[in-house]
Amino acid sequence: MLVLLHGHGEEPDAFAAHGRRLVDVDAWTIVCPEAPHELPEGGRAWWTVDEDAPTEATLSAVMASIPSETGTVYITGFSQGGAVALRLGQRCSEARPHARCSLAVVSAFLPGDAVALPAGTAVLVVHGTEDEVVDPFHSELVARRLRRQDCNVTQVHHDGGHVWDDSVADTVRAWLHPQQ
């Protein structure tokens, strides 16, 4: 199962196109929840400007949208969606002990207070060295903190900015399908 969490100002349907590039849609369940806050300029947000992280209600709603299947749940997020993915990884591991959760976060940052993931959790951290929206330092911080929790962190830097482009999709796809 693949859960895709769009970034701030994006719509889930547009972001769902990335899922179709990452996995075989006939063999995978793809879930692309909608962030709860509609922005005046268009698109959606996972939390408002006066909050530091997604609320418990938001996290609970996203968890409720994920079918309870056994096997690995891959939670993938971009930017603010990547921050939500980090929180959901913690929640998924607690709520679904029968499933394994793995995370791929792109241009992400730590949401509010620290995130705790179980040791051994596989996490891909991708960030552009020219990102002017979320400083690449944030991916360094995410990777370092998760390594201290004994997570299996793969960190990839690309030459671009704050984007999910073809090269980022190729990186995530290769991580999802290491034998291909």
Side-chain angles (χ1 to χ4, degrees):
M1 174 181 319
L2 179 65
V3 178
L4 292 163
L5 303 170
H6 62 83
H8 182 271
E10 294 181 311
E11 294 286 346
D13 290 342
F15 199 68
H18 294 301
R20 293 187 290 276
R21 289 204 58 225
L22 298 176
V23 298
D24 177 358
V25 296
D26 294 327
W28 286 64
T29 300
I30 300 175
V31 178
C32 199
E34 180 177 76
H37 303 284
E38 190 172 350
L39 299 172
E41 64 273 14
R44 305 196 68 81
W46 294 101
W47 64 85
T48 62
V49 294
D50 59 332
E51 298 170 320
D52 291 332
T55 64
E56 288 302 313
T58 295
L59 294 173
S60 294
V62 175
M63 281 299 297
S65 74
I66 302 171
S68 59
E69 297 178 6
T70 58
T72 302
V73 177
Y74 293 93
I75 303 172
T76 304
F78 175 66
S79 191
Q80 193 183 58
V84 174
L86 291 167
R87 280 287 179 85
L88 281 179
Q90 180 178 344
R91 172 84 49 107
C92 181
S93 297
E94 294 166 353
R96 300 171 187 242
H98 59 280
R100 197 172 96 215
C101 295
S102 296
L103 310 175
V105 296
V106 178
S107 296
F109 50 92
L110 292 171
D113 57 358
V115 171
L117 297 176
T121 300
V123 183
L124 172 65
V125 179
V126 181
H127 212 113
T129 57
E130 301 300 317
D131 192 332
E132 294 182 2
V133 177
V134 176
D135 192 283
F137 164 78
H138 291 283
S139 70
E140 296 295 327
L141 183 61
V142 167
R144 185 171 59 241
R145 289 201 179 160
L146 295 179
R147 283 185 182 113
R148 286 184 188 154
Q149 295 175 30
D150 292 324
C151 291
N152 181 9
V153 177
T154 302
Q155 191 171 8
V156 177
H157 300 279
H158 62 86
D159 293 332
H162 194 76
V163 297
W164 182 304
D165 58 12
D166 290 344
S167 70
V168 170
D170 290 344
T171 298
V172 175
R173 186 175 46 254
W175 181 79
L176 287 169
H177 311 287
Q179 288 78 26
Q180 293 181 347

